[in-house]
Amino acid sequence: MTFAPGDIVALKSGGHSMTVVAVDEDEVDCLWLSDAGDLFRQSIPAVALTVIEQSEAEDEAEQDEGDEEDEDGRLEDDEDEDDDEEGEEKRRAKGR
């Protein structure tokens, strides 16, 4: 498989998404951010990498964006909002 600078890749065994910054014969230089926000650069054997389709990389970013701030600056999870609405509907139904 050939890689080009700007490609989004990951280890075949899993892990963080990485950006290709340079390619030399059988080695690929990659950049990625750790969960703590530290920037890493490493030369990795090409045989250990696979290209991630853009839709997969976008899905990962959307999962990270699932939490939103409410009016008071508190984080709200989109899924919890649905649960709150269901609970409110049940309370209203009991009150009838």
Side-chain angles (χ1 to χ4, degrees):
M1 175 171 265
T2 59
F3 299 98
D7 285 348
I8 307 298
V9 298
L11 292 172
K12 288 180 179 178
S13 59
H16 290 283
S17 298
M18 300 178 282
T19 302
V20 173
V21 292
V23 180
D24 294 321
E25 293 185 28
D26 296 330
E27 297 286 319
V28 180
D29 286 352
C30 299
L31 288 176
W32 71 95
L33 289 174
S34 70
D35 292 333
D38 298 320
L39 181 65
F40 289 90
R41 181 177 181 146
Q42 183 71 43
S43 183
I44 300 171
V47 69
L49 297 172
T50 186
V51 174
I52 297 177
E53 298 297 323
Q54 279 300 91
S55 61
E56 291 177 34
E58 290 170 2
D59 289 345
E60 286 180 13
E62 287 175 10
Q63 288 175 353
D64 293 341
E65 294 174 3
D67 294 335
E68 296 181 12
E69 289 185 9
D70 66 7
E71 296 169 355
D72 299 324
R74 294 177 295 193
L75 286 180
E76 284 186 352
D77 187 17
D78 293 342
E79 293 177 13
D80 290 343
E81 200 170 292
D82 293 339
D83 293 340
D84 291 343
E85 290 172 8
E86 290 174 15
E88 183 66 27
E89 288 176 19
K90 289 178 183 176
R91 284 190 289 279
R92 287 184 194 148
K94 286 183 181 179
R96 290 185 190 172

